[in-house]
Amino acid sequence: MTRPGLPKLIATDLDGTLVRSDDTVSAYTHAVLDRVRAAGIRVVGATGRGPRLTELTRNDIRDADFLVLAQGGWVIDQQESRLLRSARLPGRDLARALQALEAEVGPLSVMVEALDHDDAPLWGDYDPTWRYPVTVEPRTRDECLTSDVIKAFARSFERDVDDLLAAARRVVPPHVASVTQAGLNYVEICPPEVDKGTGLAVVAQAVGVDPADVLVFGDMPNDLPMFAWAGWSRVAVANAHPELLAVADEVTLTNDEDGVAVYLDKLLSK
């Protein structure tokens, strides 16, 4: 049982929120999250990272009871070692989304995430500006679209990613695919009705927690759906995207200042 006045579940984004700019998570943050679990509060890591980065994610949020991966399309119960959700986007629907977007903005560089094993390669167009270590297996667009995918990354070298996302929101029908961006200069194209809000709803249903008892942390537009879904409080780090800052209930310190841990430390100390 959690103490009165505390949330029953906390969910935090990783990159740009819990994880610092040097791609590390501080010992202080790990210790605070351990205290959160000891207080009876479930911990969820909610990230855009796909299942190919599961082990990295587990290392960054060691105390997570659940992982919400791939923008909500992949949900893992860590305690039971059980997959609760595994959504995929048919290649024909991805083709339709890309066609609509390219008709609006011009040619795109595209990579797809199709394989779910750890350290699996991406397929498609290699981008030397991708900031994380990644293996890209060169494949033509047609080859990438022959099977269902977990998600796709689409980049315009002519347009800012926020402009590209605005175009995608206009022209990609929500029943075909969902679109977002997570700070990688790419629009991410996911299965319809897949976002961090629907991913967290899977977790909440599994453990019997109401959205009103859920506290969330984030920094980018891909966190907007879980901010709309959660009800206890929606907290943005100070380095967050303007779209998220505009809807946050509270703002904590930046990711490099361990803003999530500082907020939770104060919450537990009340």
Side-chain angles (χ1 to χ4, degrees):
M1 296 291 292
T2 56
R3 196 173 77 223
L6 293 177
K8 294 180 180 178
L9 184 149
I10 72 109
T12 180
D13 171 59
L14 299 183
D15 300 301
T17 302
L18 193 77
V19 179
R20 299 177 294 189
S21 299
D22 63 359
D23 299 329
T24 65
V25 177
S26 71
Y28 168 63
T29 292
H30 285 305
V32 171
L33 288 174
D34 185 58
R35 288 176 56 210
V36 168
R37 286 195 74 221
I41 304 169
R42 290 182 172 91
V43 175
V44 182
T47 177
R49 298 176 185 178
R52 67 190 179 86
L53 298 176
T54 299
E55 287 309 310
L56 174 64
T57 301
R58 285 176 174 147
N59 185 62
D60 283 342
I61 186 161
R62 300 169 192 165
D63 289 289
D65 297 282
F66 295 85
L67 297 179
V68 173
L69 304 169
Q71 308 297 7
W74 226 257
V75 179
I76 300 173
D77 181 338
Q78 297 267 83
Q79 305 304 308
E80 302 291 334
S81 298
R82 191 160 55 101
L83 189 61
L84 301 182
R85 188 186 202 188
S86 55
R88 286 182 173 269
L89 178 64
R92 65 181 180 277
D93 293 338
L94 174 57
R96 181 177 170 187
L98 290 171
Q99 183 179 27
L101 190 51
E102 287 189 318
E104 182 80 3
V105 304
L108 298 169
S109 174
V110 176
M111 296 184 294
V112 304
E113 184 166 349
L115 306 176
D116 59 18
H117 62 80
D118 218 47
D119 293 325
L122 299 177
W123 297 344
D125 306 318
Y126 175 68
D127 180 359
T129 69
W130 185 271
R131 70 171 293 249
Y132 298 107
V134 65
T135 300
V136 178
E137 183 179 308
R139 293 201 179 197
T140 66
R141 178 79 61 85
D142 286 344
E143 288 172 332
C144 290
L145 298 174
T146 56
S147 61
D148 298 349
V149 303
I150 297 165
K151 64 176 178 172
F153 303 87
R155 179 172 184 177
S156 167
F157 291 95
E158 304 297 326
R159 295 203 180 207
D160 175 84
V161 67
D162 285 330
D163 292 340
L164 186 60
L165 178 58
R169 286 169 171 168
R170 286 196 307 271
V171 303
V172 177
H175 67 273
V176 172
S178 60
V179 295
T180 192
Q181 74 102 342
L184 291 174
N185 293 321
Y186 281 81
V187 163
E188 299 191 20
I189 304 172
C190 302
E193 299 184 8
V194 161
D195 57 50
K196 290 189 182 183
T198 60
L200 283 178
V202 171
V203 173
Q205 183 175 18
V207 298
V209 169
D210 190 275
D213 293 316
V214 179
L215 162 65
V216 294
F217 297 90
D219 75 315
M220 292 300 291
N222 64 320
D223 296 314
L224 288 168
M226 73 173 181
F227 270 45
W229 176 84
W232 197 88
S233 191
R234 289 68 63 96
V235 183
V237 285
N239 53 288
H241 190 282
E243 277 197 38
L244 205 72
L245 289 170
V247 299
D249 296 317
E250 303 175 75
V251 178
T252 185
L253 300 174
T254 68
N255 62 322
D256 288 333
E257 298 169 300
D258 293 330
V260 172
V262 169
Y263 181 98
L264 291 172
D265 199 352
K266 291 178 180 177
L267 181 65
L268 293 173
S269 299
K270 287 181 180 178

